[in-house]
Amino acid sequence: MAIERVAVIGAGVMGAGIAAQIANAGLEVLLLDLVPEDAENRSIVAESALAKMLKEDPAPFMSKRAARRIQAGNIEDDLARLDACDWIIEAVIERLEVKRALYTKIEKHRKPGSLVSSNTSTLPLARLMDGQPKGLRRDFLITHFFNPPRYMRLLEIVSGPDTRDEATQELMDFADRRLGKGVVVCKDTPGFVANRIGTFWIQAAVTEAIDRGLSVEEADAVMSKYLGFPKTGVFGLMDLVGIDLMPHVDRSLAENLPSDDPYHALRRDLPVVARMIQEGFTGRKGKGGFYRINRGDGGKVKEAVDLTTGKYAPVRKPILDSLSAAKAVGRKHAARTLVTHPDKGGAYAWAVLSKTLGYAASLVPLIASDIAAIDRAMTLGYNWKLGPFQLLDEIGAAPFVERLKAEKMAVPVLLETAAGKEGFYREHDGALQQLLPDGVYQNLERPPGVVLLEDVKRRTERMAGNASASLWDVGDGVVCLEVHTKLNTIDQDVFAIIAKALEIVPKNHRALVIYNEASHFSAGANLGLALFAANTALWPMIEDLVVQGQKLYRKLKYAPFPVVAAPSGLALGGGCEICLAADAIEAHAETYMGLVEVGVGVIPGWGGCTELLARLAADRRRPKGPMPPVVEAFETIGTAKVAKSAFEARELGFLRDTDGITFNRDRLLAGAKARALVLAEGYRAPDPAELSLPGPNGMASLDFAVHDLALKGLVTPHDRTVVNELIGVLIGGPEADHTTPTPEARILDLEREAFMRLVRNEATLARMEHMLTTGKPLRN
């Protein structure tokens, strides 16, 4: 049975968020909740949840249009509508009797074969299904989403002994392909995978910090990037998710875990945490948490709580030799350096990791069948850069075991096995292998249809490359251009590999895909390089960068082979422009695309103005005539609008209707490659664009709009300078007239000339320097 319509019962934070993500994927959703006592509007709870989500930031919806796919109702009047649903998700309060009573009602109305699942994070499936009819047991699973459902990729799925295999597979495929989830199949054990290990880690980190006298700032600096944990650290993470959740999760685990589980030894009363919760310091949703913003005396001071006294004081940057040592050796050796350092930061890191990683190793195969599933759960559910077994390999399983033994700590069998072999993972004959509980290595199999560049790199040599970019043969005649600078910014070395691709692909290949597996596609041009050249008055060097970028991007556009860009994460400035130059875009749903150059005092210089104008003019849904595309491009570029999803990118004109959107990040390369191969059949390069632009006749209306914003205090003096240059480009220059088409080559010349005038402006240089220093735009 294909899943086409879904019901979510429970319109709280999780239920509403799940409904939003399913609507994002294009499905109709029925969202139900209780009828409040004496309510005139009997569906007010679900309707209010829907209205609230439309105002939230970060937004649960990828486009406000997705909200139209959700119909609100209530469980007293609308349960009969479940007969049209293929999947029914229960997301009500974590009380067994409430859930079981609801299942009885659901069973009366659902159609045969429809899937039913619970979003529980604490209750075992066996208890939920105890005494339930066989038909429901066959169609029932646990689907544990993580909050917020749009942004957290992990979905834990638990099947029961009576669950149909087809039901499990159908739900796994749907969650993977349609919702973009990284699915981890878990055993029916307390906390499943991510919360079982994650809660243990948090408890260990908090209690060890208190016992060892570390400050909140010191503990978070250690439990952070050098160990591959989120940059928030552990206390910052608790502030983010809510400190008041900690006692509930702790109590649930303690009640359900075996009496000999090591988690019990970590538990203790934490007076400082209890007091914070009682006083409303529950994290970011409350008055503050382990950190807070003190707005006294008209200013804003970030403060951290003292774990001993409970009093707040201004945050201080931690100074620990262990952190300096970890920074000095680089990421791959940072974890090993940190846990072996003799200072209190190193001792703290070892104390937490020796417990947490040892605990994780003791749980295989109890909570999941293999180590890869556990690593995937922790990276997708807790945003760890490395799962526990990947982290153990970086530290070294053998020295880890030696130290555990020296300190008379328990050594799990699997950890002992890894120490005597090649670690938990190894590369063998071009394939990544994982260590199984029986001590045998097994190839790590990807789901059908998943193609990862990291796997390509294991089995092949790169075709060409330098420190900034590489070319890889991804099969079937398709070449992949990978940028791998910091934030994948574009520099002259990237240009060199683009030129190499233009040379290589036509000889023996069919298409080019631009793609990488970093967190972000590209943050744009290398701003540091441009600022250096400007500060040393190397104006010819800057102009050469602009000219070179324009030429190479045009060559990509008019190459004798198709080019497909596959962005994910940030695709800003020059990163957006290279997407616009491609024949097609296959974008990850979480792509944040925009031409943001005005923030650093310039305008798009590599064809962004030209391409956006052309796309807006060609869009049949948009108003016709010379002015509408110019006005919309001006609003988008002049205000540095950034699409906060691929769907918003389509609404802004960066993506065409013919461009694709992929929900699962792991399927992006395969999708882009497939699109490129379709285009390669009988491929013919596009004709150069000619645009009907208004010329000086269009300047007045744009200038009036800027003047109105200036009167409202929304435009700074330098903003006015920048947008005046932008207007000159978008109208086609002083000689343009809407009766005579303006060739794109002319608009490119205007872009370059305006860029060079602006980059010589001292106010632009101040903006560039401020952005590089602070990461924030300067309003001068």
Side-chain angles (χ1 to χ4, degrees):
M1 179 188 298
I3 298 174
E4 298 296 340
R5 184 174 175 82
V6 179
V8 180
I9 303 178
V13 172
M14 282 302 301
I18 293 167
Q21 181 64 1
I22 294 170
N24 288 334
L27 281 78
E28 297 295 317
V29 185
L30 178 64
L31 180 62
L32 306 179
D33 209 302
L34 297 169
V35 177
E37 189 176 348
D38 300 326
E40 293 184 12
N41 179 354
R42 293 173 61 80
S43 300
I44 186 65
V45 176
E47 289 180 8
S48 297
L50 184 56
K52 181 181 178 183
M53 286 195 294
L54 286 167
K55 301 174 184 177
E56 288 180 357
D57 186 21
F61 291 111
M62 292 180 180
S63 165
K64 291 191 186 315
R65 296 175 184 177
R68 302 172 190 169
R69 302 189 186 104
I70 299 180
Q71 297 178 332
N74 67 78
I75 59 175
E76 293 186 17
D77 304 324
D78 299 302
L79 282 181
R81 297 165 69 184
L82 296 181
D83 66 359
C85 297
D86 308 304
W87 179 19
I88 301 162
I89 304 170
E90 169 269 301
V92 302
I93 190 170
E94 292 285 89
R95 286 170 53 187
L96 183 64
E97 66 276 12
V98 172
K99 292 178 183 289
R100 288 170 58 84
L102 179 60
Y103 300 152
T104 300
K105 295 178 181 178
I106 290 173
E107 188 65 2
K108 293 177 181 178
H109 297 285
R110 73 182 183 100
K111 64 182 177 181
S114 60
L115 304 178
V116 181
S117 71
S118 174
N119 184 56
T120 183
S121 60
T122 61
L123 295 171
L125 184 147
R127 294 181 67 191
L128 293 173
M129 286 293 99
D130 185 28
Q132 296 292 334
K134 183 177 180 180
L136 178 60
R137 296 200 310 271
R138 283 174 49 79
D139 296 330
F140 188 86
L141 308 95
I142 285 175
T143 50
H144 181 212
F145 290 80
F146 279 66
N147 192 37
R150 170 183 166 183
Y151 300 96
M152 298 302 292
R153 287 185 60 198
L154 178 62
L155 177 67
E156 294 180 322
I157 290 184
V158 181
S159 301
D162 299 321
T163 307
R164 295 181 288 118
D165 290 342
E166 316 90 81
T168 304
Q169 192 59 52
E170 184 179 356
L171 201 47
M172 288 173 61
D173 290 344
F174 177 83
D176 171 349
R177 296 175 185 272
R178 297 293 297 274
L179 301 184
K181 294 301 177 184
V183 176
V184 172
V185 176
C186 308
K187 306 288 183 67
D188 192 18
T189 57
F192 308 130
V193 174
N195 281 345
R196 178 77 172 266
I197 296 172
T199 304
F200 188 100
W201 168 64
I202 289 172
Q203 285 281 6
V206 171
T207 55
E208 289 290 349
I210 294 172
D211 290 349
R212 294 171 181 275
L214 272 75
S215 68
V216 165
E217 301 98 305
E218 288 172 332
D220 277 351
V222 173
M223 285 296 123
S224 188
K225 59 183 180 180
Y226 297 121
L227 298 176
F229 296 141
K231 64 182 180 180
T232 56
V234 69
F235 289 102
L237 178 65
M238 290 173 65
D239 278 356
L240 185 63
V241 301
I243 297 170
D244 53 334
L245 288 178
M246 184 178 173
H248 295 292
V249 177
D250 167 57
R251 187 165 53 251
S252 173
L253 271 181
E255 289 173 354
N256 290 287
L257 287 172
S259 59
D260 60 348
D261 192 276
Y263 181 76
H264 295 292
L266 288 178
R267 301 186 69 231
R268 71 182 72 176
D269 292 331
L270 299 174
V272 65
V273 175
R275 184 164 63 248
M276 289 170 65
I277 294 172
Q278 184 178 5
E279 294 174 358
F281 289 95
T282 54
R284 296 188 187 183
K285 66 181 180 181
K287 297 187 294 184
F290 293 104
Y291 298 95
R292 72 175 185 182
I293 301 297
N294 189 337
R295 292 179 169 81
D297 300 325
K300 292 198 303 182
V301 178
K302 187 175 183 180
E303 297 179 333
V305 74
D306 185 297
L307 294 172
T308 303
T309 66
K311 296 180 179 179
Y312 285 91
V315 166
R316 293 182 296 178
K317 183 178 180 179
I319 301 174
L320 294 170
D321 290 342
S322 53
L323 295 176
S324 300
K327 181 179 181 180
V329 298
R331 190 198 65 78
K332 285 190 176 181
H333 304 289
R336 182 182 300 183
T337 300
L338 191 51
V339 299
T340 56
H341 199 281
D343 78 351
K344 67 176 181 178
Y348 173 62
W350 169 253
V352 176
L353 290 193
S354 61
K355 292 181 175 67
T356 302
L357 301 186
Y359 186 60
S362 73
L363 295 175
V364 185
L366 177 66
I367 62 173
S369 298
D370 55 59
I371 62 171
I374 293 175
D375 279 345
R376 187 167 173 80
M378 297 314 298
T379 55
L380 298 181
Y382 272 72
N383 278 335
W384 289 13
K385 293 292 183 186
L386 301 169
F389 302 101
Q390 294 166 321
L391 185 52
L392 276 164
D393 274 353
E394 283 216 347
I395 295 170
F400 196 91
V401 166
E402 287 176 15
R403 188 167 175 186
L404 287 178
K405 289 180 176 179
E407 297 181 8
K408 295 186 170 29
M409 298 177 68
V411 179
V413 173
L414 183 62
L415 186 51
E416 182 91 67
T417 302
K421 289 181 171 286
E422 299 172 62
F424 288 98
Y425 295 94
R426 72 174 186 181
E427 291 186 17
H428 183 72
D429 291 338
L432 180 64
Q433 296 186 326
Q434 63 168 327
L435 181 66
L436 298 180
D438 61 6
V440 175
Y441 285 99
Q442 178 191 67
N443 283 358
L444 195 60
E445 299 293 338
R446 307 296 183 188
V450 170
V451 178
L452 296 182
L453 192 57
E454 66 171 273
D455 292 337
V456 173
K457 293 178 181 180
R458 288 190 184 95
R459 62 177 182 261
T460 63
E461 297 291 331
R462 69 178 179 177
M463 304 169 69
N466 54 34
S468 295
S470 299
L471 296 178
W472 301 93
D473 186 337
V474 293
D476 301 313
V478 179
V479 174
C480 176
L481 167 64
E482 176 200 22
V483 180
H484 41 70
T485 56
K486 184 178 181 180
L487 285 177
N488 295 321
T489 55
I490 297 168
D491 58 22
Q492 288 171 313
D493 283 346
V494 174
F495 285 162
I497 301 306
I498 293 175
K500 194 69 176 175
L502 289 163
E503 174 190 331
I504 288 175
V505 175
K507 292 179 180 177
N508 299 301
H509 296 81
R510 304 176 64 192
L512 178 70
V513 167
I514 306 171
Y515 165 88
N516 65 69
E517 284 168 2
S519 299
H520 300 294
F521 179 75
S522 176
N526 186 326
L527 196 57
L529 178 63
L531 182 61
F532 167 78
N535 283 334
T536 52
L538 295 175
W539 308 117
M541 177 181 173
I542 295 178
E543 186 156 17
D544 181 62
L545 280 170
V546 178
V547 171
Q548 197 177 0
Q550 286 189 348
K551 285 183 177 179
L552 285 170
Y553 282 19
R554 291 309 94 192
K555 286 182 178 179
L556 285 174
K557 181 176 180 179
Y558 299 115
F561 53 83
V563 178
V564 176
S568 178
L570 297 179
L572 304 178
C576 176
E577 288 173 297
I578 201 169
C579 292
L580 298 181
D583 291 283
I585 299 172
E586 184 69 29
H588 182 228
E590 296 295 350
T591 296
Y592 308 93
M593 184 175 283
L595 296 168
V596 296
E597 288 84 349
V598 297
V600 291
V602 292
I603 66 166
W606 290 339
C609 299
T610 311
E611 289 300 329
L612 185 58
L613 281 171
R615 285 169 182 250
L616 294 172
D619 191 335
R620 290 176 297 179
R621 299 171 304 172
R622 286 175 156 86
K624 298 303 175 186
M627 277 305 294
V630 171
V631 171
E632 189 171 354
F634 174 73
E635 291 175 350
T636 298
I637 301 172
T639 59
K641 285 184 181 179
V642 175
K644 294 182 179 179
S645 72
F647 293 96
E648 285 191 8
R650 182 172 282 165
E651 292 167 9
L652 290 176
F654 295 128
L655 266 63
R656 306 182 183 98
D657 284 344
T658 54
D659 291 325
I661 297 175
T662 296
F663 267 71
N664 193 323
R665 179 68 174 80
D666 293 342
R667 296 185 179 276
L668 185 57
L669 177 56
K673 178 182 170 182
R675 184 171 291 270
L677 289 171
V678 169
L679 291 173
E681 296 295 328
Y683 178 75
R684 178 178 173 273
D687 296 323
E690 290 189 334
L691 298 170
S692 176
L693 298 176
N697 290 333
M699 187 173 292
S701 59
L702 295 179
D703 196 59
F704 179 79
V706 176
H707 179 70
D708 185 52
L709 291 172
L711 290 176
K712 296 176 182 177
L714 301 177
V715 178
T716 68
H718 193 50
D719 284 338
R720 187 61 190 257
T721 301
V722 176
V723 297
N724 281 346
E725 293 284 4
L726 176 62
I727 290 171
V729 174
L730 296 178
I731 65 171
E735 74 282 1
D737 184 277
H738 71 90
T739 61
T740 304
T742 301
E744 68 175 36
R746 172 57 182 154
I747 310 172
L748 289 169
D749 288 341
L750 292 169
E751 278 188 20
R752 185 187 71 255
E753 293 162 5
F755 187 98
M756 290 308 300
R757 285 191 294 270
L758 286 168
V759 82
R760 292 172 182 264
N761 191 305
E762 290 295 329
T764 288
L765 298 183
R767 285 193 177 189
M768 288 183 174
E769 191 159 353
H770 190 268
M771 178 63 77
L772 282 171
T773 304
T774 67
K776 299 176 181 178
L778 174 66
R779 305 292 294 144
N780 60 348

